[in-house]
Amino acid sequence: MDYHVLKKNDSRWLVAATEIYNADWKAAKYLASKMIGDEFADWEGIVVAEAADRIVGFCSFVSKDIVDLDYSPYIAIVYVDPNFRSNGISKELVKIAEKQLLKLGFQSIYIVTQHVGLYEKWGYYQIDEAEDKFGRIMRVLVRNF
C-alpha cells in the first residue's frame, strides 16, 4: 500500500479528484467537487492510499467541515474501498493527515462523524454535537496533541 499527500498545486490533484469522484460514496463526490472547484487553501490537502496504481482510500485535512462550528482543523471524508477494509488503511490515512496538521502547528484536530467507537480507539473523544449542512446530527470529536 502506498500513501501520498496531495495538495492543490500537485500535478496529480485533478486526476485524483476524478478517481475519488468515482468512489461509491456520496461524500466522495462532494470532496471531488471541492477539489475540482479549487476550494482548498494552500495548506489543505488530501491523503490517498493506492494499491495497483488506483486509489483505494482517502481523507482530507481542511479548515472547515460540514458543520458550522468554530473548531479547526478537521480530518474529513475518511473512506476506504469495501474490498480493502479491515487492513488498517483508515487508521494510516488519519495518522498521515494528523502529521501534516501537526507540522503546520495545530495542537488539536477535529473529526465530524456519525460513527461511534472507531476514532475513539485512536485517541479522539466527543466534545460536541451539531447538525451538518445535510440536516444530519453529527458527533464532533477532538484529539489533543
Side-chain angles (χ1 to χ4, degrees), residues 6 12-21 32 35 46 48 55:
L6 301 176
R12 297 174 50 210
W13 183 258
L14 292 177
V15 171
T18 301
E19 208 171 326
I20 288 168
Y21 185 87
M35 292 170 69
I46 63 168
V48 296
I55 294 174

Side-chain angles (χ1 to χ4, degrees), residues 7 16 19 21 25 30 32 34 43-44 50 57-58 60 70 73 75 77 81 83 85 96 101 103-104 108 133 145:
K7 296 192 177 172
E19 208 171 326
Y21 185 87
W25 187 36
Y30 174 78
K34 289 181 67 74
W43 65 268
E44 295 174 317
E50 292 182 326
F58 52 84
S60 63
D70 289 333
I75 294 175
I77 310 181
D81 181 300
N83 297 318
R85 292 183 183 162
I96 293 167
L101 293 168
K103 277 194 249 179
L104 293 166
S108 297
K133 60 175 63 180
F145 292 85

Side-chain angles (χ1 to χ4, degrees), residues 5-145:
V5 174
L6 301 176
K7 296 192 177 172
K8 69 179 188 176
N9 293 327
D10 191 295
S11 62
R12 297 174 50 210
W13 183 258
L14 292 177
V15 171
T18 301
E19 208 171 326
I20 288 168
Y21 185 87
N22 291 322
D24 188 23
W25 187 36
K26 189 176 182 180
K29 291 169 184 19
Y30 174 78
L31 173 59
S33 67
K34 289 181 67 74
M35 292 170 69
I36 293 165
D38 196 26
E39 297 180 39
F40 275 69
D42 289 342
W43 65 268
E44 295 174 317
I46 63 168
V47 182
V48 296
E50 292 182 326
D53 290 328
R54 76 176 188 90
I55 294 174
V56 298
F58 52 84
C59 73
S60 63
F61 51 98
V62 293
S63 63
K64 290 291 179 193
D65 199 0
I66 56 175
V67 293
D68 189 21
L69 298 171
D70 289 333
Y71 306 118
S72 189
Y74 292 91
I75 294 175
I77 310 181
V78 180
Y79 173 82
V80 176
D81 181 300
N83 297 318
F84 289 84
R85 292 183 183 162
S86 300
N87 291 308
I89 296 170
S90 59
K91 182 177 184 178
E92 189 64 22
L93 290 167
V94 168
K95 187 189 314 182
I96 293 167
E98 287 172 343
K99 287 179 184 175
Q100 292 297 308
L101 293 168
L102 291 171
K103 277 194 249 179
L104 293 166
F106 293 106
Q107 298 298 308
S108 297
I109 299 172
Y110 302 88
I111 293 179
V112 175
T113 187
Q114 289 181 314
H115 290 286
V116 175
L118 174 65
Y119 300 106
E120 288 85 348
K121 291 187 293 191
W122 308 333
Y124 287 83
Y125 60 93
Q126 185 171 346
I127 57 163
D128 209 341
E129 205 173 76
E131 186 175 317
D132 73 6
K133 60 175 63 180
F134 306 106
R136 303 171 299 183
I137 298 300
M138 304 297 283
R139 302 171 67 232
V140 180
L141 310 179
V142 68
R143 180 170 180 201
N144 298 305
F145 292 85

